[in-house]
Amino acid sequence: MAHYDVVIIGGGIIGLSVSYYLLLKKKKVLILEKGELGSGASSSCDDAIFLQSKKPGILLDMTLESVQMYKSLSKELKTDLEFENRGGMVLIEDDIQLKAMEEFVKIQNSHGLPVEMLDRKDVLKKQPFVRKDIKASTYCSKDSQVNPLKVMRGFLKKGTALGLELKTHVEITEIVQRENYWEIVLKDGIRIKTEYVVNAAGAWASDIGRLIDIDIPIRPKRGQIIVTQQVPSLGETNAWSADYIAAKMNPQIVQRKPKRYRELGIGLALSQASSGNYLIGSTREYVGFDKSTTYEALTMIMHEALRLFPILKNVHMIRSFAGLRPASEDGKAIVGEVDGKKGFYIAAGHEGDGIALAPITGKVMASMICGEKVIYPMEELNLNRFQNQKKNGG
Ligand SMILES: Cc1cc2nc3c(=O)[nH]c(=O)nc-3n(C[C@H](O)[C@H](O)[C@H](O)COP(=O)(O)OP(=O)(O)OC[C@H]3O[C@@H](n4cnc5c(N)ncnc54)[C@H](O)[C@@H]3O)c2cc1C
């Protein structure tokens, strides 16, 4: 029977990152992937390392470290990850949004995240093509972006050089806990022995959980995106509509939107890839594992984009796609060892932040598996928080 230190289930950006940081610690690592590497959310998403969307706490702190890691990763992985630090703006259209965003920014500032409020004049300096009656915006100079495909390629290239092993197009039929190790059984009868298992199966993580009788509250949240032709930059930074962000702080804000917009979770996320193509998103929908795009949602996304950036009427849309965010019940990733299942770890449920959080998730998981100290309060991201909430009547 083949024997590994760690078997990672899922070859998306999270699984690949975890593998890389374990390989640096000289672990023998195998990734099991049911399709092609990167065939999940990590190749059907936006590219933001978006700091100002996060409430202060562990995920903001981890994203800040991820940004630092990304700054040197291109060199380390010998792959241009197209990391850029352009900053980001949340566009504000009325007083209600303004109030919510001012409160949010105050909290972020008090935790040391540099986010400013800009008035119309300053917004138009940075975004000359935004609608002229825009009220205000936020601006965070630390918001950045990276190409997720290149990140995965970089982890894979360097990982392979460090001894990473891969099996793609596999079907796992059993995961059995033995006295001091785990045994993974594949449909073709192959059995694999490993000291540690990492469930990095993204939106499918709960399927893997069922194989060892645990409930992992992660489900797919679809997002649809439109891609434009390559064009010169429309503005200095990437931009989001306040509805997309302020709703996190005050759900009342989106109540004013038409019912169907709310049901589809429409909000504008506009970012330009290094290639010059704009990515225009998105939706937040619970439709199971259906990865299709819909005419209805794409029309609404485009409507939002044209309302805020009328100049886009001159830009061709060249394609669209949808991806499945791995969404946990409370919106936070699940990262850590499962109680009562020694050696079985989860690194999944990053929802709309998995690209931003990939390097730090890999680093933290590798440290946990190697028994090293982690500076973050990881109990906040442990699976047992859901059981504890239930016990406490939450
Ligand atoms: C529209 C959209 C926009 C987004 N924008 C951003 C953004 O701007 N910034 C950001 O940080 N994040 C963004 N995200 C979120 C980000 O894409 C995800 O959080 C991230 O890709 C999750 O990575 P993952 O490796 O956990 O999951 P995935 O990439 O889905 O990888 C999981 C892998 O596990 C495999 N798998 C599943 N089941 C099994 C099994 N039984 N056996 C073996 N393998 C299995 C799958 O085939 C898949 O390859 C966005 C997502 C979407 C959909």
Side-chain angles (χ1 to χ4, degrees):
M1 197 179 341
H3 187 177
Y4 294 88
D5 294 323
V6 188
V7 171
I8 297 168
I9 301 171
I13 199 164
I14 298 295
L16 283 161
S17 173
V18 173
S19 74
Y20 172 66
Y21 289 98
L22 282 165
L23 288 157
L24 288 182
K25 292 183 186 295
K26 311 269 184 270
K27 294 290 178 197
K28 187 174 180 212
V29 182
L30 170 71
I31 291 182
L32 294 176
E33 165 56 53
K34 72 169 179 170
E36 292 290 344
L37 290 178
S39 53
S42 308
S43 58
S44 326
C45 57
D46 269 319
D47 55 359
I49 307 169
F50 196 22
L51 288 153
Q52 59 168 310
S53 66
K54 293 178 186 51
K55 292 181 187 171
I58 183 170
L59 291 178
L60 176 58
D61 293 343
M62 286 174 73
T63 311
L64 280 163
E65 188 173 346
S66 244
V67 179
Q68 288 307 333
M69 292 170 78
Y70 268 128
K71 283 183 182 163
S72 54
L73 259 181
S74 288
K75 200 164 161 212
E76 190 176 324
L77 300 178
K78 297 193 171 58
T79 306
D80 177 7
L81 306 183
E82 294 172 12
F83 174 84
E84 285 187 65
N85 176 216
R86 280 191 207 158
M89 295 167 78
V90 176
L91 303 170
I92 296 166
E93 296 179 75
D94 59 37
D95 287 333
I96 298 176
Q97 291 178 350
L98 183 63
K99 189 162 173 289
M101 289 312 296
E102 276 175 345
E103 279 167 22
F104 197 17
V105 165
K106 227 182 269 168
I107 298 170
Q108 288 167 324
N109 285 167
S110 68
H111 284 78
L113 185 69
V115 188
E116 300 164 43
M117 295 298 302
L118 303 183
D119 62 15
R120 181 182 299 150
K121 202 167 103 259
D122 287 336
V123 179
L124 288 168
K125 270 190 211 152
K126 289 192 187 295
Q127 294 291 351
F129 294 109
V130 76
R131 59 184 297 153
K132 298 292 174 253
D133 62 352
I134 196 81
K135 190 163 187 74
S137 90
T138 65
Y139 171 66
C140 177
S141 61
K142 282 190 181 282
D143 286 331
S144 305
Q145 68 192 85
V146 75
N147 181 334
L149 299 173
K150 296 279 186 81
V151 176
M152 288 192 284
R153 200 172 300 163
F155 282 138
L156 178 62
K157 194 169 87 181
K158 196 71 194 282
T160 308
L162 291 169
L164 175 63
E165 292 185 43
L166 301 164
K167 277 189 197 296
T168 56
H169 300 280
V170 298
E171 190 178 324
I172 298 169
T173 53
E174 267 185 276
I175 303 178
V176 188
Q177 187 173 19
R178 303 284 182 209
E179 203 172 334
N180 291 315
Y181 64 94
W182 289 86
E183 196 176 314
I184 298 179
V185 186
L186 305 184
K187 197 177 177 195
D188 56 12
I190 290 177
R191 288 172 178 268
I192 299 159
K193 190 174 164 182
T194 179
E195 209 171 324
Y196 299 94
V197 181
V198 179
N199 176 358
W204 298 265
S206 63
D207 293 347
I208 300 300
R210 269 192 290 280
L211 292 175
I212 60 159
D213 293 326
I214 57 165
D215 180 26
I216 304 177
I218 291 177
R219 57 181 176 145
K221 194 188 266 189
R222 183 169 72 182
Q224 304 189 37
I225 291 185
I226 296 164
V227 186
T228 73
Q229 67 179 126
Q230 296 171 345
V231 287
S233 284
L234 299 178
E236 203 180 285
T237 75
N238 295 328
W240 289 263
S241 64
D243 281 348
Y244 214 42
I245 307 303
K248 274 194 181 180
M249 294 299 288
N250 178 0
Q252 299 263 298
I253 285 176
V254 279
Q255 291 308 322
R256 301 165 306 150
K257 285 272 173 196
K259 184 165 172 272
R260 202 58 194 135
Y261 269 64
R262 279 184 276 132
E263 284 168 357
L264 294 172
I266 303 274
L268 180 70
L270 183 73
S271 78
Q272 189 178 31
S274 297
S275 54
N277 305 90
Y278 270 92
L279 299 175
I280 308 178
S282 183
T283 56
R284 287 176 176 144
E285 311 158 77
Y286 288 113
V287 288
F289 289 92
D290 179 358
K291 263 185 74 169
S292 41
T293 52
T294 63
Y295 177 77
E296 182 191 29
L298 296 176
T299 310
M300 287 181 188
I301 293 169
M302 226 31 249
H303 183 262
E304 275 302 280
L306 287 167
R307 209 174 55 69
L308 281 157
F309 288 90
I311 193 169
L312 284 170
K313 71 175 187 297
N314 302 318
V315 177
H316 290 291
M317 310 295 131
I318 58 170
R319 70 184 184 97
S320 61
F321 63 84
L324 302 173
R325 302 177 187 92
S328 80
E329 217 165 69
D330 63 3
K332 287 187 189 167
I334 303 174
V335 180
E337 193 175 25
V338 178
D339 285 357
K341 306 279 179 190
K342 197 173 170 340
F344 192 99
Y345 286 73
I346 302 173
H350 295 71
E351 200 178 323
D353 292 322
I355 307 308
L357 285 163
I360 188 64
T361 302
K363 182 179 163 189
V364 160
M365 280 299 299
S367 295
M368 288 171 110
I369 286 173
C370 294
E372 296 163 1
K373 198 170 152 27
V374 172
I375 60 165
Y376 301 103
M378 293 310 294
E379 61 284 356
E380 287 184 31
L381 300 185
N382 197 286
L383 176 70
N384 63 18
R385 70 185 186 264
F386 298 103
Q387 279 95 48
N388 294 342
Q389 276 162 16
K390 273 184 200 142
K391 262 190 243 154
N392 299 332

